[in-house]
Amino acid sequence: MQKKNLAAIVASLFIVPVAAHADVTIYGFMSGGIESAKATGNGTASKEYSSRTRVVDHNSRIGFKGWEDLGNGTKAIWQVESSLRNFEQGGTNDKGQSATFGTRNTFIGIDNNDFGKVLLGQNDSAYKMFTGSGNSALGTDVMINTTADNFNANSVNSRGEARLANSIHWFSPNWAGFKLGASWGVDEARIAGNDSKRISLGLGYTWGSLNLATAWDKQYDTAVKNNSNSYNTSPTNDPAVIGLNSGKNVSFYSIAASYKFDSGTFIGGNYEWGNFDQVGGGQVKQDDWQIALGQDFGAASIKLAYGQLGALKNVGAGVNGDDFKAKQWILGGTYNLSKSTQLLAYATKITNNAKASANFANNPIYSTGTSLDAGNDPQAFGIGMKVSF
């Protein structure tokens, strides 16, 4: 059934007059596979994740989007995108979280040929859209959406990227290869009197097969625990900790580049550094980097990436900053059976030092309850299939 026919059926379900005048598209993909996974190395058997076979979902989703022409080069746009993750276990992940409607990028907005797009709702930050996993043209997240994905706040690379709820975004049109973006995530809760808003800025440049990008992200009234890269999320109703985050910030900066040769050879890389104010005063710093390679062979592609999370700097006496280091290697491949169906395979391993707990961006491993104990090394290898629609 063609997309236009599907769109007509869905539109008829909504008693909204404007729906009859809007162009509606249904899109998404289902992706899953089977893998062997474990997380060991902590030294305590009860805090390790023994080797086992998992049936996994690779970030499946479904979305509805549309627009209405308002004239003079301006459109009203909207999108509702929902996660279909964890379909292999009834929609509930290992943390007990269930997918609900509109869990992904969901917004209303205006698109103007000269000014660009303004979005209101929930959407990936400009930081993520320019130097993170949201930039598909950059392509440095080589096995995106699979277990081998390494771009995430709790992973080895691109730890400053996020999807912002209660947010407004602006993305410029293409100006001679340049694009700009800005995001503002408001804090409606104001817990303990803090204003934990978040601001992101991004700049990108594309010239043929060359992609360059840089971005900045700042989280206000946010701090990490002393001599740590763990965010301070102590109970806010405890008088002893109320206000500890006030006036403190966490900032990320990143640069990224990639180039694909006519031969099908791809090379790219990311560098990111973060500054973290501590609840007790002072600031710690940590950087990360990654190199990505790829080669196309007709319908097949081979991908390789290696990344490191650096030492925690400016820690106090008696604390070893190297204990917070982590590294990850990724070897993967895809084969396109058609324009919409793809086979995939991957192998990856994260090596965490004694106080590091970097995890997979998708299908993370929880060695104790809903957390990965520091010092455990997640690893997985698997095969799968993706069908887009």
Side-chain angles (χ1 to χ4, degrees):
M1 185 177 290
Q2 296 182 350
K3 287 185 177 180
K4 289 185 178 179
N5 293 333
L6 286 171
I9 294 172
V10 173
S12 68
L13 299 177
F14 295 87
I15 308 175
V16 181
V18 73
H21 306 287
D23 183 11
V24 182
T25 300
I26 304 172
Y27 68 94
F29 64 81
M30 295 289 290
S31 182
I34 184 169
E35 68 182 21
S36 176
K38 66 178 181 179
T40 59
N42 178 272
T44 304
S46 62
K47 295 183 178 180
E48 295 182 335
Y49 186 91
S50 60
S51 179
R52 68 198 66 181
T53 299
R54 304 197 300 180
V55 175
V56 292
D57 169 45
H58 291 144
N59 218 4
S60 302
R61 66 200 64 169
I62 185 170
F64 306 86
K65 61 182 179 181
W67 58 272
E68 183 182 15
D69 191 352
L70 302 179
N72 299 318
T74 302
K75 298 176 182 178
I77 57 176
W78 61 270
Q79 177 175 297
V80 179
E81 188 172 291
S82 303
S83 174
L84 297 176
R85 291 189 62 186
N86 310 297
F87 70 85
E88 84 284 359
Q89 53 185 28
T92 302
N93 65 14
D94 293 338
K95 277 190 172 183
Q97 299 168 324
S98 299
T100 56
F101 197 66
T103 48
R104 296 181 55 82
N105 292 345
T106 300
F107 54 80
I108 57 172
I110 294 292
D111 185 1
N112 179 270
N113 291 339
D114 298 320
F115 180 76
K117 297 180 181 179
V118 177
L119 312 179
L120 182 68
Q122 174 168 281
N123 199 73
D124 292 339
S125 69
Y127 190 97
K128 181 178 180 179
M129 293 294 287
F130 280 83
T131 60
S133 59
N135 190 341
S136 58
L138 186 66
T140 50
D141 190 356
V142 294
M143 293 303 294
I144 188 171
N145 296 317
T146 70
T147 302
D149 189 336
N150 63 325
F151 278 34
N152 185 268
N154 298 311
S155 297
V156 174
N157 299 111
S158 195
R159 294 165 68 87
E161 67 175 59
R163 176 171 296 126
L164 304 181
N166 303 322
S167 57
I168 185 169
H169 309 257
W170 170 70
F171 298 103
S172 78
N174 189 322
W175 292 320
F178 288 94
K179 287 187 177 182
L180 297 171
S183 301
W184 175 27
V186 305
D187 180 12
E188 297 182 4
R190 296 294 182 95
I191 296 175
N194 293 324
D195 182 7
S196 301
K197 59 181 176 286
R198 189 163 183 167
I199 296 177
S200 287
L201 300 175
L203 168 64
Y205 177 71
T206 301
W207 182 43
S209 297
L210 174 67
N211 291 280
L212 304 173
T214 185
W216 167 81
D217 181 276
K218 187 172 184 178
Q219 303 168 60
Y220 292 82
D221 283 356
T222 303
V224 296
K225 299 175 182 177
N226 294 337
N227 297 314
S228 167
N229 58 4
S230 298
Y231 286 77
N232 179 46
T233 56
S234 301
T236 54
N237 58 354
D238 183 350
V241 300
I242 288 177
L244 286 181
N245 290 351
S246 181
K248 299 177 175 63
N249 308 299
V250 171
S251 299
F252 286 95
Y253 308 81
S254 62
I255 54 175
S258 68
Y259 188 83
K260 191 167 187 177
F261 296 88
D262 293 340
S263 61
T265 302
F266 167 85
I267 183 170
N270 295 69
Y271 179 72
E272 175 185 59
W273 61 99
N275 299 327
F276 309 86
D277 289 346
Q278 302 178 101
V279 292
Q283 185 183 80
V284 292
K285 303 175 183 289
Q286 191 173 32
D287 64 359
D288 61 79
W289 60 267
Q290 179 198 244
I291 295 293
L293 302 170
Q295 179 65 54
D296 293 340
F297 300 94
S301 295
I302 301 297
K303 307 166 189 287
L304 176 67
Y306 178 80
Q308 286 192 0
L309 179 63
L312 194 64
K313 301 175 182 178
N314 298 339
V315 293
V319 179
N320 186 354
D322 287 345
D323 285 344
F324 296 87
K325 285 184 175 181
K327 58 186 178 182
Q328 181 177 11
W329 61 262
I330 302 165
L331 175 63
T334 60
Y335 183 82
N336 297 324
L337 295 175
S338 69
K339 290 183 178 180
S340 59
T341 302
Q342 182 183 79
L343 301 178
L344 57 93
Y346 54 86
T348 184
K349 181 179 180 179
I350 299 174
T351 302
N352 283 309
N353 284 12
K355 293 185 179 180
S357 55
N359 210 335
F360 301 135
N362 293 300
N363 305 313
I365 288 176
Y366 306 118
S367 52
T368 301
T370 56
S371 65
L372 175 71
D373 286 275
N376 278 328
D377 302 332
Q379 53 188 296
F381 63 90
I383 57 174
M385 182 173 74
K386 176 182 178 181
V387 180
S388 301
F389 55 88

